[in-house]
Amino acid sequence: MDSNQSRREFFKKSTALGIAGLGITAIASGLERVAALNEEGGSFTLPPLPYATDALEPYIDKMTMEIHHTKHHQAYVNNLNKACADGNISASLEDIIAKISEYPAAIRNNGGGHWNHSFFWQLMGPPKDEANTPPGKIVDTLKASFGGFTDFKKQFNEAAMKRFGSGWAWLVKTPDGKLAIGSTPNQDNPLMDIAEIKGTPLMGVDVWEHAYYLKFQNKRADYLTAWWSVVNWEMVAKNL
Ligand code: MN3
């Protein structure tokens, strides 16, 4: 929202509250509230991709990345801003997500969409080689929890394949400090209080058809095979 819009919003709300009876202190606190809304709840923006749209070729194609980022993710951002303005919601995205059960569906879908995609772009990077083997430290960590890197990949792929319809598969650190694999429907994520799998996301993969249909059509398994070649293991290591 630009400053003119926010002034209009403020006056609209103030008028509704009966601005004539308010003192200058109340007006000032109203302005502060609007400023907070703009900063946190009202002006979410599309983060730039950390690489060019063709940087993940040949595994993830340029056109998919362009549409996914500038159309799909942008729409989540726009709709989140609108839903926050409509609901007069000024909490940070992190706070909203942690208590998502208290918010309407538009906030859950678009707030989740914004968080998930912002996370997802960071988790991919220009491919080094097809195998894209993770560093030894990550392999050791995954081995301790899942039996080995191959077993981990198999379980993660299973979670991604079994997610019916649209959603995400995740590797999370659970509240008791263990690593776990699971999936969420739609734009839900493990940080949400309503999620079946809860914890801090370490890795996640978008299995909505919009993430792969242009290049892979209905073949989600082929998309996943290609996706492993562009996983940014340095980012996963940071998250771990
Ligand atoms: Mn998506």
Side-chain angles (χ1 to χ4, degrees):
M1 182 183 311
D2 65 35
S3 60
N4 283 332
Q5 265 178 309
S6 61
R7 262 195 301 277
R8 279 197 300 277
E9 283 298 314
F10 169 62
F11 284 114
K12 216 157 65 188
K13 281 164 197 157
S14 303
T15 308
L17 290 169
I19 196 169
L22 295 178
I24 194 75
T25 317
I27 293 172
S29 91
L31 282 170
E32 262 169 40
R33 197 169 53 80
V34 172
L37 177 70
N38 284 338
E39 204 176 303
E40 294 180 321
S43 64
F44 295 107
T45 53
L46 182 70
L49 283 180
Y51 36 75
T53 48
D54 62 357
L56 308 183
E57 293 267 12
Y59 302 102
I60 309 289
D61 62 292
K62 181 182 195 305
M63 187 174 278
T64 295
M65 288 304 293
E66 271 176 17
I67 295 174
H68 202 173
H69 180 244
T70 66
K71 306 292 180 194
H72 291 277
H73 190 173
Q74 183 72 65
Y76 296 124
V77 170
N78 295 348
N79 292 330
L80 176 62
N81 283 333
K82 187 180 181 304
C84 284
D86 289 349
N88 197 18
I89 292 160
S90 61
S92 70
L93 187 56
E94 284 66 29
D95 289 346
I96 289 172
I97 281 178
K99 294 177 185 166
I100 204 73
S101 60
E102 299 171 13
Y103 289 91
I107 297 278
R108 177 169 165 181
N109 293 334
N110 295 294
H114 181 35
W115 195 97
N116 293 348
H117 287 85
S118 302
F119 181 71
F120 186 53
W121 308 135
Q122 305 284 332
L123 271 174
M124 298 187 286
K128 294 177 185 104
D129 56 45
E130 195 174 331
N132 192 29
T133 311
K137 217 181 142 187
I138 293 188
V139 173
D140 291 346
T141 307
L142 295 173
K143 196 176 170 186
S145 296
F146 305 103
F149 178 58
T150 311
D151 298 291
F152 160 71
K153 241 172 108 166
K154 198 171 155 235
Q155 289 176 49
F156 192 91
N157 279 340
E158 269 173 22
M161 289 302 294
K162 278 188 194 157
R163 170 47 56 195
F164 182 75
S166 299
W168 293 73
W170 305 96
L171 169 67
V172 304
K173 188 173 264 181
T174 62
D176 58 0
K178 296 193 178 112
L179 297 191
I181 292 167
S183 73
T184 54
N186 306 316
Q187 294 297 353
D188 289 356
N189 72 43
L191 294 168
M192 292 181 173
D193 58 357
I194 42 78
E196 266 175 52
I197 177 168
K198 285 194 189 63
T200 308
L202 308 172
M203 276 178 86
V205 65
D206 187 345
V207 294
W208 282 58
E209 279 185 346
H210 70 225
Y212 59 88
Y213 205 86
L214 286 179
K215 186 174 167 74
F216 299 99
Q217 294 81 50
N218 59 325
K219 300 182 285 278
R220 189 185 286 185
D222 291 359
Y223 157 67
L224 289 168
T225 301
W227 180 75
W228 287 106
S229 297
V230 296
V231 170
N232 177 359
W233 289 113
E234 281 158 33
M235 185 54 70
V236 178
K238 265 189 213 165
N239 294 342
L240 272 165

